[in-house]
Amino acid sequence: MTNTRSHAVMTGARSGAPAWAGAAAGAAAPTTTAPTATAPGTPPTPASGAAPLPGTGTGTAAAGRGSLGGIGLVVAAGLSVHFGSAVAALLFPRVGALGVVTLRVTIAAVLLLAVCRPRLRGHSRSDWAVIGAFGVALGGMNILFYQAIDRIPLGPAVTLEVLGPLLLSVLTARRAVSLLWAGLALAGVFLLGRDGFDGLDPAGAGFALGAGALCAVYIVCNARAGARFPRLDGLALAMAVAALVSLPLGVGSAGGALLDPRVLGPGLAVALLSSGLPYTLELLALRRLPSATFAVLMSLSPAIAALAGFLVLGQSLSTGQCLAVALVVAAGAGAVRTGSAGRRER
């Protein structure tokens, strides 16, 4: 039977409610639907080239493989984005945080548009509204996060940012045990950042919290775009919107330094590691995992960021931070197991 609950969580409510309300309403969606072939939000078909949604007639074994594949996609996305962020921090002295964001998002948009060549016609007004919200959230999340890591260390910045996805996991959870995993991850998040919270720049902490809020919006919009647009078309269009948001800020801040070959080369690497590759992997992961499971898996980000900070920026881990990593990993594993059990029950 089609996993309509997972599909409802991914696509959100269709009543024009805000994204948060859509996620919450999707978690309580009925177990039967009758979508038409042309209705917005219907699952992608094999003809569209998109991966099937969990439970769409592929059997228990296929669902298990899809779940494991989704887990791997989220972990790979985390490794890519945080090592890319660590490399990006090395460019701050040359073009500033806004300049790095502009390079990262604009180059990624150009590459995605060239590869995907998304179709511009045949989409409804609501489809374009999703793309607009997705792009603004994507651009704003990047701008705020880079403003944060320009002021505070990478580990604490990601620790604060991940609170947004954790809140989303609580709002969309249907099983009581999901709240336990979210709480365990939250405990690890705070333990991981405990040593770095003293003396944090207030503006940097505020930027990180704002990035977390937009990250939660990004998760919901990403899922909706993945359900409405074939392949990676929605991501490519949203990245173009994000580039339009960031370009005026980056050009005004860095000017001609953005065209320096010594900046463009690393900027290309940052764009691939921090935008194009991870967002593509996350979109594909959202087609295989429920939003609640995906959101708690995002709590692995502080652990990955701490590793990236250690290897690239020379930021060492304390004993308490190592314990925090273990708590976060345990929460991620528990969330995956809970999500798999929930799909089997349905």
Side-chain angles (χ1 to χ4, degrees):
M1 181 177 65
T2 301
N3 187 348
T4 54
R5 176 182 171 273
S6 295
H7 180 231
V9 172
M10 290 173 60
T11 59
R14 300 177 188 175
S15 61
W20 281 112
T31 58
T32 58
T33 58
T36 62
T38 58
T42 53
T45 63
S48 70
L53 291 168
T56 53
T58 57
T60 303
R65 289 194 297 271
S67 177
L68 290 175
I71 298 164
L73 289 169
V74 175
V75 172
L79 288 170
S80 181
V81 72
H82 292 303
F83 275 86
S85 295
V87 172
L90 302 177
L91 286 175
F92 286 172
R94 293 185 178 180
V95 294
L98 292 175
V100 173
V101 170
T102 297
L103 285 173
R104 166 182 170 170
V105 176
T106 302
I107 293 174
V110 170
L111 292 176
L112 280 171
L113 289 172
V115 171
C116 298
R117 297 182 181 180
R119 182 169 55 88
L120 300 180
R121 296 181 179 180
H123 301 298
S124 68
R125 184 174 299 178
S126 61
D127 291 341
W128 286 112
V130 168
I131 290 299
F134 188 9
V136 170
L138 184 57
M141 179 179 67
N142 279 288
I143 290 169
L144 293 180
F145 179 71
Y146 274 76
Q147 289 295 316
I149 65 173
D150 193 28
R151 292 166 171 81
I152 61 178
L154 181 61
V158 176
T159 298
L160 291 171
E161 185 194 26
V162 82
L163 296 180
L166 280 172
L167 178 60
L168 176 63
S169 73
V170 172
L171 291 177
T172 59
R174 286 289 302 273
R175 297 164 62 89
V177 70
S178 297
L179 302 180
L180 170 64
W181 300 128
L184 184 62
L186 186 62
V189 162
F190 276 113
L191 185 59
L192 182 63
R194 185 185 62 180
D195 295 341
F197 286 146
D198 294 337
L200 283 183
D201 179 78
F207 282 129
L209 289 171
L214 286 179
C215 185
V217 178
Y218 154 77
I219 290 173
V220 176
C221 292
N222 194 347
R224 292 188 179 188
R228 289 172 177 264
F229 290 82
R231 301 180 296 275
L232 302 177
D233 287 11
L235 175 64
L237 294 170
M239 194 71 75
V241 173
L244 293 176
V245 170
S246 65
L247 265 173
L249 300 174
V251 172
S253 173
L258 293 173
L259 301 179
D260 188 333
R262 295 173 297 176
V263 172
L264 284 176
L268 175 60
V270 169
L272 293 174
L273 287 173
S274 298
S275 288
L277 179 58
Y279 294 138
T280 299
L281 295 175
E282 288 172 4
L283 187 148
L284 295 174
L286 277 163
R287 291 175 173 171
R288 293 164 169 80
L289 296 171
S291 290
T293 302
F294 178 89
V296 177
L297 282 171
M298 292 280 285
S299 67
L300 291 169
S301 294
I304 299 172
L307 178 62
F310 173 73
L311 294 178
V312 179
L313 303 176
Q315 300 171 350
S316 60
L317 291 173
S318 68
T319 302
Q321 289 172 331
C322 291
L323 177 59
V325 169
L327 287 174
V328 172
V329 170
V336 170
R337 185 167 182 174
T338 299
S340 298
R343 282 193 295 276
R344 286 195 297 270
E345 290 178 5
R346 291 187 297 272

